[in-house]
């Protein structure tokens, strides 16, 4: 049977076009790749190349025809050994000639198999994550030491873990988080990079594709904007794009948010940005135990994890479990203080401020429950909702900007899941909606304070 | 896929001889070998190349056809015209080596031995595709074949490939990463960030610039202050060679020479492959930025498959009948791939929310 040549589409949205002219005539011998005709739309003219070889048997749509439907048969090609009588057979039999290509997508049984789509929604939240009990010995150490110990323990445990970043090795870390690691692990595993965030982040993601487990330190997350393409497009999306074949087990960590008097370009919180991306996990510890237990979990996690630290906490001392087996589950918030009148959610350094606010509120007879979110994605909405069902009031605290922020997400979650339990609209306490000013008084005005949190909590309590 | 072995005796005037320097200098090679020399490769190798390149061409022609029928959607970047590059490079590959490229990637997958059925079914967005229909033309991967994608952000595969090379060195597995990118990506900053680290750390990476002369619709002359792309590593002391990328034997030999440098622990090497794509940047490219004469001149004078065919016949490596048989084999493979890609069902709707995270 002759081969049907169909009117091709120039783009996925094209439904018809003009057959401008034929470059071959009936009887011409055609090789695969020969330009046989030109078609045009209002946007473009394109040449159509033959896919099969043979002799042009019959041109069914002459050159100059307008509005030819995509997939209409425009010509018949005789295969080797066929002569013109094959064309007559097509017409006489009235049957569909051997079609190469075959019928269009929408008519094929393969497509019909799923033609009646059932509604699909995100899977329900997984079973509640339980945090392991720990009643072993504790040590007091600074948060930077907890982070360092977490990395060191995981590097001893797994040879494929390595640390790279600016000043992490010989300088011992811009904020001394990696102090001592070069001595123990050597320059093959503690790697000073050039100042080249886009490049070394991409390099680390590539290494993770090959099965290594990089820890990438950003001196601050402000510089991760140079690298965000690799964090989002390369690290977060590859597992999905590969149909589950190839993922990226990698940690991006460093100081996030405002430090002190460092100005607009060094004072941004990125929690909301990264938390929007499916394929990423986003962790923001507050305490030393958070830092150690969650960083160890992040390093062991087979997925890309953005690990947001806070420079102002690096020197703060906390009680930390002394066990190397202490690992916290990602995705589990912690109720740092129980209360009955109002829920306050916070993460990173804001947890400390929220606890201070709770003290102030207690002095005024208001019992606040403080939730340390610890993980921003996946957000532990269960703990938040359960708390709201008890207190009927909630204030969210973050140092980042308000629009599309973590607080905005919490507001939406509470609306969707606990609307009937609310006795007051949710209030957000957040960094002011401005680039961070340098002047000390203006900077202080920009950031949340225990007093601002207290005022918000009182407002939702109508107190 | 047949793997051609390295020819023992490089031709007297091959690119290899001209590029002994490994001191960071870049060399330009003769674009065409003058006269007719003795056969530059065994008959087996020549037929292997013919088969590899023809598979890519026929596969891409079929993909273009399926696109025209609406069976392939979105972006579809065809490799037609550039087949000699990937065929010649891959002839040197060892099992532990890795490959990464941009979104013009079907040819690289086929050269790596990834199944044509799975590639084509990914193009049609079906369950049988290599990414289960969730990646598309630009995003396919194979752990088994050490093929790491398929990347849609121009130039992003360069640091990723440099990272694969970092992993080869870290694991001491002796592998090299072949990192392919086009002339369109050579002005991305991350390419030079990668060059710097690769040379600083002496990473085993072979950078292969496929210079097909147009980054989408903008010619290299209109985009680049310097157009000798093999010299782009000179600021970092990375040696480079310009190669006739339309000649599979020259590509193979230049790659072998570059690999001596890379496998020898001397760090990265740049090969600029002068090549040409016959089709538009993507399927919806009307190609107004170049003349038809330009395209047809390359096709008639420099076509890598036609020229190889001539070489095979003129050196009596094989006869017409043998080539015809290969043509038939390839046609059957591609037809099978297209049939598979049409028959494979669309992904189950439940696939929407899978493969986002690995369950820890």
């Amino acid at each position: 049977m002759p081969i049907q040549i169909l009117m091709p589409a120039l783009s996925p949205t094209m439904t018809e076009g003009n057959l401008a002219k034929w470059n071959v005539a009936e009887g011409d011998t055609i090789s695969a790749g020969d330009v046989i005709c030109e078609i045009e739309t209002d946007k473009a003219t394109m040449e159509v190349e033959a896919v099969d070889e043979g002799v042009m048997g019959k041109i069914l749509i002459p050159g100059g025809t307008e509005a030819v439907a995509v997939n209409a048969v425009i010509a018949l090609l005789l295969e080797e050994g066929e002569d013109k009588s094959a064309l007559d057979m097509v017409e006489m039999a009235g049957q569909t000639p051997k079609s190469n290509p075959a019928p269009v997508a929408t008519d094929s049984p393969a497509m019909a198999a799923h033609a009646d789509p059932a509604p699909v929604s995100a899977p329900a939240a997984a079973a509640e994550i339980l945090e392991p009990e720990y009643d072993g010995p504790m040590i007091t150490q600074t948060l930077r030491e907890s982070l360092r110990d977490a990395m060191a323990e995981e590097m001893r445990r797994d040879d494929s873990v390595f640390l790279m970043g600016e000043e992490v090795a010989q300088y011992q870390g811009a904020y001394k988080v990696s102090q001592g690691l070069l001595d123990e692990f050597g320059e093959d595993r503690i790697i000073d990079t050039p100042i080249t965030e886009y490049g070394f982040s991409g390099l680390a993601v590539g290494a993770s594709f090959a099965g290594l487990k990089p820890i990438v330190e950003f001196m601050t997350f402000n510089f991760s904007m140079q690298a965000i393409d690799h964090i989002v497009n390369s690290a977060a999306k590859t597992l999905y794009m590969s149909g589950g074949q190839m993922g990226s087990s990698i940690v991006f960590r460093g100081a996030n948010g405002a430090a002190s008097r460092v100005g607009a370009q060094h004072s941004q919180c990125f929690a909301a940005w990264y938390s929007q991306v499916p394929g990423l996990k986003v962790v923001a510890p507050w305490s030393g135990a958070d830092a150690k237990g969650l960083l160890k979990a992040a390093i062991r996690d087979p997925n890309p994890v953005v690990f947001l630290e806070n420079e102002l906490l690096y020197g703060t001392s906390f009680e930390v479990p002394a066990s190397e087996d202490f690992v916290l589950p990602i995705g589990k918030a912690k109720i740092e203080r129980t209360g009955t009148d109002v829920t306050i959610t916070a993460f990173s350094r804001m947890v400390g401020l929220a606890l201070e606010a709770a003290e102030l509120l207690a002095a005024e007879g208001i019992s606040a429950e403080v939730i340390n979110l610890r993980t921003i994605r996946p957000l532990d909405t269960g703990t938040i909702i359960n708390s709201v069902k008890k207190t009927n009031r909630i204030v969210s605290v973050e140092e980042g900007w308000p629009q599309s922020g973590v607080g905005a997400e919490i507001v939406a979650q509470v609306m969707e899941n606990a609307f009937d339990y609310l006795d007051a609209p949710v209030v957000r306490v957040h960094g002011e909606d401005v680039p961070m000013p340098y002047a000390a008084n203006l900077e202080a005005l920009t950031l949340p304070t225990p007093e601002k949190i207290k005022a918000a909590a009182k407002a939702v309590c109508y107190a | 896929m047949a793997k051609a072995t390295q020819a023992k005796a490089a031709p007297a005037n091959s690119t290899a001889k001209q590029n002994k320097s490994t001191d960071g200098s870049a060399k330009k090679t003769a674009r065409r070998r003058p006269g007719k020399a003795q056969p530059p490769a065994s008959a087996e190798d020549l037929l292997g190349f013919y088969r590899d390149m023809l598979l890519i061409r026929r596969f891409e022609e079929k993909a273009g056809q399926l696109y025209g029928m609406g069976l392939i959607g979105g972006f579809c970047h065809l490799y037609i015209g550039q087949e000699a590059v990937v065929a010649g490079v891959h002839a040197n590959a060892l099992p532990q080596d890795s490959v990464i490229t941009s979104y013009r990637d079907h040819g690289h997958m086929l050269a790596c031995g990834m199944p044509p059925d799975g590639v084509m079914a990914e193009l049609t967005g079906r369950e049988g595709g290599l990414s289960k229909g969730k990646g598309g033309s630009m995003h396919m991967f194979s752990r088994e074949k050490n093929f790491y994608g398929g990347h849609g952000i121009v130039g992003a595969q360069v640091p990723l490939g440099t990272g694969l090379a970092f992993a080869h060195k870290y694991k001491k597995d002796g592998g090299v990463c072949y990192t392919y990118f086009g002339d369109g990506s050579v002005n991305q900053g991350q390419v030079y960030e990668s060059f710097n680290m690769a040379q600083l750390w002496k990473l085993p990476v072979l950078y292969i610039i496929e210079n097909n002369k147009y980054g989408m619709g903008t010619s290299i002359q209109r985009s680049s202050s310097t157009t000798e792309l093999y010299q782009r590593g000179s600021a970092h002391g990375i040696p480079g060679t310009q190669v006739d990328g339309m000649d599979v034997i020259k590509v193979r030999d230049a790659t072998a020479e570059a690999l001596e440098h890379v496998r020898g622990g001397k760090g990265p090497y740049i090969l600029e492959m002068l090549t040409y794509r016959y089709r538009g940047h993507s399927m919806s490219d009307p190609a107004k930025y170049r003349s038809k004469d330009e395209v047809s001149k390359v096709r008639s004078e420099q076509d890598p498959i036609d020229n190889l065919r001539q070489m095979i016949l003129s050196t009596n490596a094989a006869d017409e009948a043998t080539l015809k048989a290969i043509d038939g084999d390839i046609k059957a493979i591609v037809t099978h791939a297209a049939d598979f890609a049409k028959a494979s069902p669309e992904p189950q709707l439940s696939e929407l929310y899978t493969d986002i995270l690995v369950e820890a």
Side-chain angles (χ1 to χ4, degrees):
Chain A
M1 282 291 186
I3 294 167
Q4 290 182 331
I5 298 173
L6 306 183
M7 179 72 175
L10 297 181
S11 73
T13 52
M14 175 177 159
T15 55
E16 63 176 34
N18 303 333
L19 204 169
K21 70 167 191 176
W22 282 99
N23 296 38
V24 293
E26 290 180 6
D28 286 358
T29 300
I30 290 166
S31 301
D34 286 354
V35 175
I36 54 172
C37 67
E38 291 176 17
I39 59 174
E40 61 185 20
T41 66
D42 54 343
K43 284 187 289 197
T45 302
M46 277 186 64
E47 293 173 341
V48 178
E49 294 175 4
V51 180
D52 298 290
E53 57 191 10
V55 174
M56 179 54 72
K58 187 160 193 175
I59 290 173
L60 300 171
I61 308 270
T65 307
E66 296 188 351
V68 180
V70 166
N71 282 326
V73 182
I74 57 176
L76 296 173
L77 189 70
L78 295 168
E79 285 191 279
E80 190 176 1
E82 286 181 331
D83 61 27
K84 282 205 159 192
S85 62
L87 300 170
D88 300 335
M89 277 174 59
V90 173
E91 283 154 354
M92 278 162 54
Q95 66 190 74
T96 310
K98 179 171 133 192
S99 174
N100 187 11
V104 292
T106 46
D107 294 335
S108 74
M111 303 286 282
H114 302 299
D116 184 22
V120 170
S121 58
E128 196 191 351
I129 300 164
L130 294 176
E131 183 170 336
E133 295 285 330
Y134 180 83
D135 54 6
M138 306 289 278
I139 52 167
T140 302
Q141 64 179 181
T142 62
L143 192 132
R144 67 161 55 82
E145 290 170 330
S146 300
L147 293 168
R148 190 264 323 272
D149 288 355
M151 289 191 284
E153 287 170 17
E154 294 307 304
M155 288 184 70
R156 282 175 211 132
R157 200 175 157 265
D158 184 347
D159 287 343
S160 65
V161 179
F162 67 93
L163 172 68
M164 70 178 353
E166 293 153 9
E167 312 290 2
V168 298
Q170 292 194 9
Y171 195 87
Q172 307 288 320
Y175 297 110
K176 298 292 178 283
V177 172
S178 53
Q179 194 145 33
L181 295 184
L182 176 63
D183 287 345
E184 178 174 354
F185 298 103
E187 59 186 11
D188 288 346
R189 296 180 70 192
I190 306 296
I191 300 155
D192 276 328
T193 63
I195 302 170
T196 179
E197 283 86 4
Y198 197 6
F200 71 68
S201 298
L203 185 151
V205 175
S208 76
F209 288 165
L212 300 185
K213 305 190 77 167
I215 305 168
V216 175
E217 177 174 311
F218 292 121
M219 194 180 292
T220 88
F221 259 90
N222 299 283
F223 313 145
S224 79
M225 273 198 282
Q226 298 257 1
I228 197 167
D229 171 49
H230 281 299
I231 299 171
V232 176
N233 273 315
S234 304
K237 296 180 183 172
T238 295
L239 185 70
Y240 198 82
M241 297 192 300
S242 67
Q245 230 189 118
M246 192 175 293
S248 176
S249 179
I250 189 169
V251 176
F252 301 99
R253 51 155 290 270
N256 173 64
S260 182
R261 307 290 309 280
V262 291
Q265 291 183 339
H266 288 73
S267 304
Q268 188 174 336
C269 175
F270 289 89
W273 284 35
Y274 290 112
S275 82
Q276 228 221 346
V277 182
L280 286 183
K281 293 185 178 183
V282 182
V283 175
W286 165 62
S287 69
D290 285 357
K292 186 164 181 199
L294 288 168
L295 183 53
K296 285 166 70 79
I299 294 166
R300 294 182 189 186
D301 200 286
N303 300 289
V305 180
V306 172
F307 194 88
L308 304 169
E309 300 159 10
N310 190 292
E311 184 194 329
L312 297 176
L313 292 173
Y314 281 148
T316 306
S317 289
F318 291 90
E319 291 283 297
V320 180
S323 169
E324 292 196 359
D325 296 325
F326 176 74
V327 180
L328 287 172
I330 292 174
K332 180 68 184 166
K334 184 182 182 191
I335 298 173
E336 296 284 352
R337 176 185 175 123
T338 56
T340 54
D341 298 333
V342 58
T343 299
I344 303 174
T345 65
F347 59 94
S348 190
R349 192 174 74 88
M350 293 298 113
V351 175
L353 274 59
L355 289 170
E356 286 182 47
E359 281 294 317
L360 299 173
L361 289 162
E364 299 188 24
I366 296 172
S367 168
E369 178 150 297
V370 176
I371 297 176
N372 171 6
L373 296 175
R374 295 202 297 203
T375 301
I376 311 302
R377 183 186 184 95
L379 190 64
D380 183 1
T381 49
T383 296
I384 300 169
I385 298 302
N386 286 339
S387 180
V388 170
K389 287 179 176 176
K390 180 174 68 172
T391 64
N392 310 113
R393 296 171 164 84
I394 178 168
V395 170
S396 92
V397 184
E398 68 188 301
E399 71 168 67
W401 292 315
Q403 180 161 335
S404 309
V406 175
E409 174 63 19
I410 289 171
V411 170
Q413 292 287 348
V414 171
M415 284 277 288
E416 289 170 2
N417 298 300
F419 183 74
D420 291 338
Y421 292 88
L422 283 176
D423 285 346
V426 186
V427 170
R428 292 176 290 164
V429 178
H430 49 75
E432 296 299 327
D433 202 9
V434 296
M436 184 65 75
Y438 168 69
N441 63 332
L442 295 180
E443 184 184 61
L445 197 59
T446 305
L447 291 166
T449 61
E451 289 71 26
K452 287 182 188 174
I453 299 166
K454 184 186 100 172
K458 288 180 73 173
V460 300
C461 291
Y462 304 114
Chain B
M1 186 160 296
K3 177 168 290 181
T5 52
Q6 276 178 243
K8 283 255 165 54
N13 56 348
S14 76
T15 57
K17 277 236 162 135
Q18 298 174 27
N19 293 288
K20 282 293 178 199
S21 152
T22 52
D23 59 0
S25 63
K27 296 282 164 80
K28 189 169 182 171
T29 68
R31 296 275 285 278
R32 288 195 154 263
R33 185 181 298 124
K36 193 174 116 182
Q38 64 219 26
S42 70
E44 185 191 347
D45 287 354
L46 291 175
L47 290 175
F49 284 132
Y50 181 74
R51 178 175 270 278
D52 292 353
M53 291 160 65
L54 195 68
L55 173 62
I56 296 171
R57 175 144 320 170
R58 293 290 174 257
F59 182 96
E60 294 289 65
E61 287 166 353
K62 182 62 81 178
Q65 183 188 31
L66 297 186
Y67 192 94
M69 295 167 65
L71 283 161
I72 297 172
F75 295 119
C76 186
H77 310 89
L78 301 181
Y79 197 63
I80 296 172
Q82 302 181 212
E83 297 92 343
V85 176
V86 77
V89 169
H90 201 75
N92 295 278
L94 298 177
Q96 68 269 33
D97 292 345
S98 56
V99 178
I100 192 167
T101 187
S102 71
Y103 42 78
R104 194 177 306 285
D105 53 3
H106 314 157
H108 303 73
M109 296 170 198
L110 296 174
C112 286
M114 289 161 69
D117 287 7
V119 179
M120 196 70 94
E122 190 60 35
L123 299 184
T124 54
R126 304 302 177 90
E127 190 176 86
L130 287 171
S131 297
K132 301 195 292 198
K134 293 157 82 167
S137 164
M138 299 186 284
H139 306 299
M140 282 176 254
F141 306 80
S142 171
R143 274 239 181 268
E144 185 195 348
K145 304 292 183 188
N146 288 335
F147 180 79
Y148 291 88
H151 294 273
I153 306 297
V154 174
Q157 76 276 22
V158 181
L160 293 171
T162 307
L164 291 165
F166 176 92
H168 285 306
K169 189 179 181 197
Y170 189 95
K171 296 183 197 172
K172 301 183 173 66
D173 64 10
V176 167
C177 181
Y178 304 90
T179 300
Y180 291 87
F181 49 108
D183 52 288
S185 67
V186 297
N187 299 314
Q188 286 279 28
Q190 60 179 318
V191 170
Y192 301 93
E193 297 187 34
S194 303
F195 284 178
N196 179 54
M197 288 184 287
Q199 178 72 333
L200 182 68
W201 297 333
K202 296 287 184 273
L203 301 180
V205 55
L206 181 59
Y207 294 116
I208 301 143
I209 303 174
E210 298 193 64
N211 181 359
N212 66 20
K213 301 179 179 57
Y214 296 90
M216 203 165 162
T218 302
S219 71
I220 182 86
Q221 289 79 12
R222 292 179 58 235
S223 67
S224 299
S225 58
T226 58
T227 56
E228 304 286 309
L229 302 183
Y230 64 101
Q231 296 179 340
R232 287 294 181 102
S234 53
H236 304 282
I238 303 174
T241 302
Q242 191 178 58
V243 183
D244 176 1
M246 303 300 271
D247 182 328
V248 68
I249 304 300
K250 288 180 182 170
V251 171
R252 179 198 64 182
D253 293 345
T255 304
E257 183 77 7
L259 282 173
E260 273 184 40
H261 177 92
V262 178
R263 290 202 204 278
K266 295 176 185 168
Y269 199 102
I270 295 171
L271 291 176
E272 179 193 2
M273 303 291 182
L274 295 173
T275 184
Y276 202 77
R277 67 167 151 74
Y278 297 170
R279 298 296 189 94
H281 167 74
S282 64
M283 292 302 295
S284 50
D285 172 4
K288 295 290 187 199
Y289 46 83
R290 61 186 186 186
S291 70
K292 286 179 185 174
D293 288 348
E294 179 183 310
V295 181
S296 56
K297 186 172 160 62
V298 175
R299 289 183 82 133
S300 61
E301 294 176 7
Q302 286 182 269
D303 186 83
I305 297 176
D306 286 351
N307 287 351
L308 179 64
R309 193 183 167 91
Q310 285 304 315
M311 184 191 290
I312 289 169
L313 294 174
S314 65
T315 58
N316 296 319
D319 58 13
E320 285 275 6
T322 306
L323 296 181
K324 188 114 183 154
I326 292 174
D327 295 353
D329 290 348
I330 297 296
K331 186 172 179 179
I333 291 168
V334 170
T335 301
H336 189 275
D339 290 346
F340 177 80
K342 285 184 276 194
S344 177
E346 289 190 292
Q348 295 291 324
L349 298 181
S350 58
E351 280 293 332
L352 183 64
Y353 275 97
T354 62
D355 305 323
I356 296 167
L357 292 171
V358 178
E359 295 304 321

